[in-house]
Amino acid sequence: MEVRAFGIIINLNFENRIKHYTSHQKILLVGEGDFSFALCLARAFGSAINMVATSLDSRELLMVKYSKAMSNVKELKDRGCIVLHEVDVHRMSQHPFLSYFRFDRIIYNFPHAGYLRMNCPFSPEVNQLQVLFHQDLVRGFFKNAREMLNGTGQIHVTHKTTFPFNEWKIVNLAEEVGLDLIHEEEFSIWDYPGYYNRKGVGMCDGSFPVWLSSTYMFAEPLYRKTRFHPGALSISTWSAEIVDMACTYLESLEMKKSKRGRKAERVCSTVLDPYY
């Protein structure tokens, strides 16, 4: 069976896979930097018709922070991906567009809340207040992501396992909001060709070491899975109504931003933290 969406012909009977993800899954990616991870999946799948990729940064800030962000976003859109900016993971379940969706996989790679303003002679990551700051970010993400899952959906968080990042207690945070850890697997960036992890602050176009990291996979306990949404396991793409709604929503955003004519503000700090 073939369908056409965003000018792309998709064969629904053929499934492409990369690591934990397949072209038949409805996937939400949050906290994207230069969108290279989303693009890695889209290239592996052959299309991104079942993907929604988001960033906290505005489109203007992405242009300032990441040299390849705009070219990556353009290719994603050409492949059928819905791309949204200024999406806060603490409020995404009430987002005027995302609230209509349910996903098979929600992915957050290397969450980071930014740095508190502290006079610290060493890495701020070891400060307990900074750890609490990060924990609040991840806890809020879990609360929202849980509301956006299909009945059999999973939430994937990739995070460092070394000190001080293991002090975030990722698994405990998930359990606080009623999620179970179903699997933990060592993360290898080589499994995702074309993915370049980027900093959110400091030298934003630079990367940071990720060789001691894991992907944590969470789901709702079986006895709580009562919110089954038809189509969660199907291989169908988004309905025509959803595609039309996406196009209308994105067009309205572009019109608002062009009227505002605001200029991008550089938010990247010139201080490079050696621990991240």
Side-chain angles (χ1 to χ4, degrees):
M1 176 182 176
E2 291 184 345
V3 298
R4 177 183 292 272
F6 294 96
I8 302 171
I9 297 177
I10 308 297
N11 186 340
L12 297 181
N13 297 320
F14 189 77
E15 181 181 54
N16 289 322
R17 174 180 292 273
I18 178 170
K19 201 58 178 176
H20 315 295
Y21 311 110
T22 79
S23 55
H24 290 169
Q25 294 167 342
K26 294 179 174 66
I27 297 175
L28 170 65
L29 301 104
V30 304
E32 284 287 283
D34 67 354
F35 286 85
S36 60
F37 188 83
L39 185 56
C40 165
L41 299 190
R43 287 172 174 171
F45 297 159
S47 82
I49 197 66
N50 273 346
M51 292 171 52
V52 178
T54 73
S55 67
L56 176 62
D57 292 324
S58 66
R59 187 175 185 275
E60 292 84 356
L61 284 178
L62 286 174
M63 295 172 66
V64 172
K65 293 172 68 173
Y66 306 110
S67 60
K68 293 187 176 180
M70 290 300 97
S71 61
N72 290 345
V73 167
K74 181 181 184 303
E75 184 174 344
L76 278 170
K77 290 181 177 179
D78 289 344
R79 291 177 178 272
C81 183
I82 297 171
V83 178
L84 301 173
H85 305 296
E86 299 180 74
V87 174
D88 185 345
V89 297
H90 275 210
R91 292 187 287 271
M92 63 183 182
S93 62
Q94 285 81 47
H95 188 276
F97 178 67
L98 291 176
S99 60
Y100 290 95
F101 287 75
R102 293 296 180 269
F103 297 92
D104 300 308
R105 298 291 183 270
I106 299 178
I107 304 169
Y108 197 174
N109 290 325
F110 302 104
H112 197 274
Y115 293 115
L116 297 171
R117 297 292 182 181
M118 297 179 294
N119 294 323
C120 191
F122 40 82
S123 170
E125 297 291 359
V126 303
N127 186 288
Q128 186 58 34
L129 286 177
Q130 184 69 55
V131 171
L132 293 174
F133 193 38
H134 292 316
Q135 287 180 321
D136 182 68
L137 167 69
V138 177
R139 185 184 294 109
F141 161 71
F142 280 139
K143 287 180 180 178
N144 279 259
R146 182 187 172 193
E147 297 302 315
M148 302 170 72
L149 287 177
N150 273 323
T152 56
Q154 297 178 13
I155 298 168
H156 291 190
V157 176
T158 299
H159 183 60
K160 295 184 179 183
T161 56
T162 55
F163 180 85
F165 304 100
N166 56 359
E167 293 297 307
W168 297 20
K169 308 296 184 186
I170 292 288
V171 175
N172 292 350
L173 296 176
E175 291 174 346
E176 285 180 19
V177 302
L179 294 168
D180 283 350
L181 177 69
I182 59 174
H183 186 58
E184 176 186 349
E185 184 168 317
E186 183 178 353
F187 173 80
S188 173
I189 198 168
W190 306 112
D191 290 331
Y192 301 97
Y195 170 47
Y196 300 97
N197 57 300
R198 300 302 187 197
K199 293 172 176 284
V201 295
M203 297 178 63
C204 299
D205 231 3
S207 61
F208 50 88
V210 295
W211 54 80
L212 292 175
S213 303
S214 286
T215 297
Y216 299 88
M217 306 174 196
F218 302 97
E220 288 192 282
L222 288 175
Y223 64 87
R224 292 181 183 167
K225 292 185 177 181
T226 58
R227 296 181 294 107
F228 182 77
H229 299 271
L233 299 178
S234 72
I235 62 172
S236 60
T237 56
W238 305 113
S239 67
E241 291 78 10
I242 289 291
V243 172
D244 289 342
M245 184 171 64
C247 293
T248 302
Y249 178 78
L250 295 175
E251 287 173 1
S252 68
L253 285 182
E254 290 299 322
M255 291 178 62
K256 288 180 182 178
K257 289 187 177 181
S258 63
K259 289 179 180 178
R260 273 186 266 169
R262 64 186 184 187
K263 296 182 179 179
E265 297 179 358
R266 181 178 294 274
V267 297
C268 293
S269 167
T270 57
V271 179
L272 174 62
D273 183 77
Y275 288 84
Y276 202 85

